[in-house]
Amino acid sequence: MAIYLTIATQLRDEIRSQYTHGDLLPPEHQLAKRFNVNRHTLRRAVDELVHDGLVRRFQGVGNQVVSTPIDYALDHPSCFSHNLSKMGLPLDTEVLGCRQEPLGEVLAERLQLPPDTPVVVIRTCRCIDDKPSTLIRHHLFNVDLQQMRRFSSGSLHRFLEQSYGFQANRGTTRLRTRMPTFDECGQLAIGRGIPVMEIHSRYHLKESGALMEYAISISRGDLFEYSVEP
Amino acid sequence: MAIYLTIATQLRDEIRSQYTHGDLLPPEHQLAKRFNVNRHTLRRAVDELVHDGLVRRFQGVGNQVVSTPIDYALDHPSCFSHNLSKMGLPLDTEVLGCRQEPLGEVLAERLQLPPDTPVVVIRTCRCIDDKPSTLIRHHLFNVDLQQMRRFSSGSLHRFLEQSYGFQANRGTTRLRTRMPTFDECGQLAIGRGIPVMEIHSRYHLKESGALMEYAISISRGDLFEYSVEP
DNA sequence: TGAGCGTATTTGTATAGACAACCACGATGG
DNA sequence: CCATCGTGGTTGTCTATACAAATACGCTCA
């Protein structure tokens, strides 16, 4: 077995037993000295841990044991911001764009609607602690573009309720995981080694049951954990 | 921008335009000479392609192009289903191990049980079309080891129902995504560029509500999609 | 003919050294 | 008191060399 693999295994064990989230590992040259290997070999070992998602590198700072994922309950009809503010994390929403466009063929087929159905598409970025964590494309039905342009921050669903009296129920939700695209890496400020969770959510009006929103969210997989209650 | 990144980008383009799956790249020393870099730098570039799932290494043979670039567009909703048996795919369960052990501290704290609670741990591998797709660790409470050893294939829950009359309700389910470990890559026969979905499920007895099973499943992220109905 | 061996080729691992890029933090100066 | 600069420490990248391990393939020999 390769030296770097055995070192990686040992470091994994030590991290699990002796470190907590956010701790910095000893500097590489020190670990290299301890294991009696070249720094390159030790880096190769740490690469394994980074690949496992156990450690993150910070140039000029050190190698950090990653934090535990944030819990995000899915079953609650409440929306995203509600769940996170409960945890006391500073949450911020940045609107990246807002415009009206036709639904498009793909979504049209999925939602069984005409392709030229007008929707207002709002792209937002959710930041936790000023770090981007989720990118969302909201597709909103039966809303006014000019009105929606006035949405700038906070909870979109609260804005919709105040503007239109819309009250939403969560419909079918689909989750999948994949690696981020190049653009998403930049927008989420992550490397290409961190997977993302892609979630498609439907929201229906509480009154009529009509489709109100189809949202596609791309979240950092290393930050979130999703729970489904029976 | 780092040299190895620019080389990786160029190689990516060349692979897309000039290679088909199965082709071997030129040997590393040759590519290194062509790009006027050290072989290590070139290897670092190829590492990127391996990480992307574009290339596989074969010691003593060469670096092979795996497949055409992956299209991450959500435009193909047809592809993945969470219910695969419905699709008529040959589904198989292989038992990797079955033994009794104490619950352990981590799970004990999570489940609020004594750490020395005896559980029967069954490790299985779900195969679709004879390809491994999911690894599962079943932690079973109040069952007999000898009896459980007789489980060899099929549905575990059906086996439990026939053996003990246990009927299960799904309890809290937690989903997260991460990159596979070294071992999981081997067991699932995937490269290191494909994320996995890790799901923790609780099952309770329909009668008493007592915890019957705690299951941890690791699934190939490129094969599954999960849906949550309201 | 066929099995086995040896050799060339290719990737895998490890070492060593050098410098760049980046960050935290204290010292300095206004 | 605050902004700025510098410096030391840490990770990031690149080069150079050497040998190990695995494979393919031709050659030899029975």
Side-chain angles (χ1 to χ4, degrees):
Chain A
M1 202 180 191
I3 296 178
Y4 77 89
L5 284 177
T6 63
I7 293 178
T9 303
Q10 184 165 345
L11 283 178
R12 236 187 299 264
D13 289 343
E14 291 183 12
I15 286 173
R16 297 219 165 113
S17 60
Q18 299 168 33
Y19 291 81
T20 61
H21 323 291
D23 284 356
L24 285 183
L25 295 180
E28 292 175 353
H29 67 86
Q30 196 173 317
L31 283 174
K33 190 180 169 190
R34 193 188 119 195
F35 287 107
N36 267 310
V37 294
N38 190 274
R39 189 182 144 222
H40 286 298
T41 305
L42 185 110
R43 272 181 75 79
R44 187 72 183 76
V46 175
D47 281 345
E48 293 297 304
L49 306 182
V50 171
H51 186 275
D52 289 355
L54 215 64
V55 166
R56 278 185 74 185
R57 296 180 180 280
F58 291 95
Q59 184 171 359
V61 182
N63 296 318
Q64 189 187 40
V65 177
V66 299
S67 52
T68 47
I70 299 165
D71 188 13
Y72 173 43
L74 268 182
D75 58 327
H76 283 207
S78 56
C79 37
F80 188 90
S81 53
H82 187 237
N83 284 310
L84 281 169
S85 55
K86 261 190 191 166
M87 305 180 63
L89 288 169
L91 180 70
D92 191 33
T93 301
E94 183 188 356
V95 176
L96 303 177
C98 176
R99 59 178 190 166
Q100 182 159 339
E101 52 188 67
L103 184 55
E105 289 187 15
V106 182
L107 280 185
E109 191 187 358
R110 197 176 306 162
L111 300 175
Q112 296 293 306
L113 288 170
D116 56 351
T117 308
V119 289
V120 171
V121 176
I122 301 182
R123 289 182 303 115
T124 62
C125 176
R126 290 275 157 83
C127 296
I128 296 170
D129 224 0
D130 281 331
K131 286 170 208 149
S133 66
T134 304
L135 304 170
I136 312 184
R137 264 181 84 94
H138 301 273
H139 302 77
L140 298 165
F141 299 90
N142 303 311
V143 295
D144 178 59
L145 178 62
Q146 298 311 321
Q147 171 68 13
M148 291 314 297
R149 280 200 198 278
R150 295 168 60 186
F151 172 70
S152 60
S153 68
S155 163
L156 176 59
H157 280 210
R158 195 179 310 153
F159 181 86
L160 284 169
E161 184 172 352
Q162 287 171 358
S163 301
Y164 296 97
F166 284 175
Q167 289 193 314
N169 277 333
R170 185 187 277 274
T172 300
T173 307
R174 304 187 79 84
L175 300 88
R176 57 177 297 209
T177 179
R178 59 174 174 82
M179 298 310 289
T181 65
F182 194 80
D183 284 345
E184 288 162 355
C185 282
Q187 291 179 286
L188 291 174
I190 53 176
R192 268 169 295 176
I194 295 179
V196 295
M197 192 79 89
E198 178 176 316
I199 302 181
H200 294 231
S201 307
R202 300 181 193 205
Y203 292 94
H204 300 270
L205 288 178
K206 197 171 277 184
E207 297 288 329
S208 62
L211 186 62
M212 178 189 92
E213 177 189 358
Y214 188 85
I216 302 173
S217 79
I218 314 290
S219 298
R220 282 177 55 167
D222 59 339
L223 286 185
F224 291 95
E225 183 177 275
Y226 301 86
S227 66
V228 182
E229 305 287 340
Chain B
M1 202 179 191
I3 296 178
Y4 76 89
L5 285 177
T6 63
I7 293 178
T9 303
Q10 184 165 346
L11 283 178
R12 236 186 299 263
D13 289 343
E14 290 183 12
I15 287 174
R16 284 184 188 161
S17 59
Q18 300 168 34
Y19 291 82
T20 61
H21 25 258
D23 284 356
L24 286 182
L25 294 180
E28 293 175 352
H29 67 84
Q30 195 172 320
L31 282 174
K33 190 181 170 190
R34 192 189 120 195
F35 286 110
N36 268 308
V37 294
N38 190 273
R39 191 183 141 219
H40 283 299
T41 306
L42 184 111
R43 271 182 74 79
R44 187 70 183 78
V46 175
D47 280 344
E48 293 295 304
L49 306 183
V50 172
H51 187 275
D52 290 352
L54 214 65
V55 165
R56 277 183 75 184
R57 297 180 181 279
F58 292 95
Q59 184 170 358
V61 182
N63 296 318
Q64 189 185 43
V65 175
V66 170
S67 64
T68 46
I70 307 153
D71 185 9
Y72 277 139
L74 4 147
D75 304 4
H76 301 272
S78 56
C79 37
F80 313 125
S81 166
H82 64 294
N83 198 338
L84 284 153
S85 56
K86 268 189 188 165
M87 304 177 65
L89 287 170
L91 185 68
D92 190 32
T93 302
E94 183 188 355
V95 175
L96 303 178
C98 176
R99 58 177 191 167
Q100 181 160 339
E101 52 187 68
L103 184 55
E105 289 188 12
V106 181
L107 279 185
E109 192 186 358
R110 199 175 305 161
L111 299 175
Q112 296 292 306
L113 288 170
D116 56 352
T117 308
V119 289
V120 171
V121 177
I122 300 182
R123 290 181 303 113
T124 62
C125 177
R126 289 267 165 83
C127 295
I128 297 168
D129 218 3
D130 282 331
K131 286 172 209 150
S133 65
T134 305
L135 304 169
I136 312 185
R137 265 179 82 95
H138 301 273
H139 302 78
L140 297 166
F141 299 90
N142 303 311
V143 296
D144 178 58
L145 179 61
Q146 298 310 323
Q147 171 66 13
M148 291 316 295
R149 279 199 199 281
R150 295 168 59 186
F151 171 69
S152 60
S153 67
S155 163
L156 178 61
H157 279 212
R158 197 180 309 153
F159 181 85
L160 285 169
E161 185 172 352
Q162 287 171 357
S163 303
Y164 296 97
F166 285 175
Q167 289 194 312
N169 277 333
R170 185 186 275 272
T172 302
T173 306
R174 307 183 77 84
L175 300 90
R176 56 175 298 210
T177 179
R178 60 174 172 80
M179 298 311 289
T181 66
F182 192 80
D183 286 343
E184 288 162 354
C185 283
Q187 292 179 284
L188 291 174
I190 54 175
R192 318 204 78 180
I194 295 178
V196 295
M197 191 80 88
E198 180 176 319
I199 302 181
H200 294 233
S201 307
R202 299 182 193 204
Y203 293 93
H204 301 271
L205 288 178
K206 199 172 274 183
E207 297 289 329
S208 62
L211 186 62
M212 178 188 91
E213 177 189 359
Y214 188 85
I216 302 175
S217 79
I218 313 290
S219 298
R220 282 179 55 168
D222 58 340
L223 287 185
F224 292 95
E225 182 178 278
Y226 301 88
S227 69
V228 181
E229 304 289 338

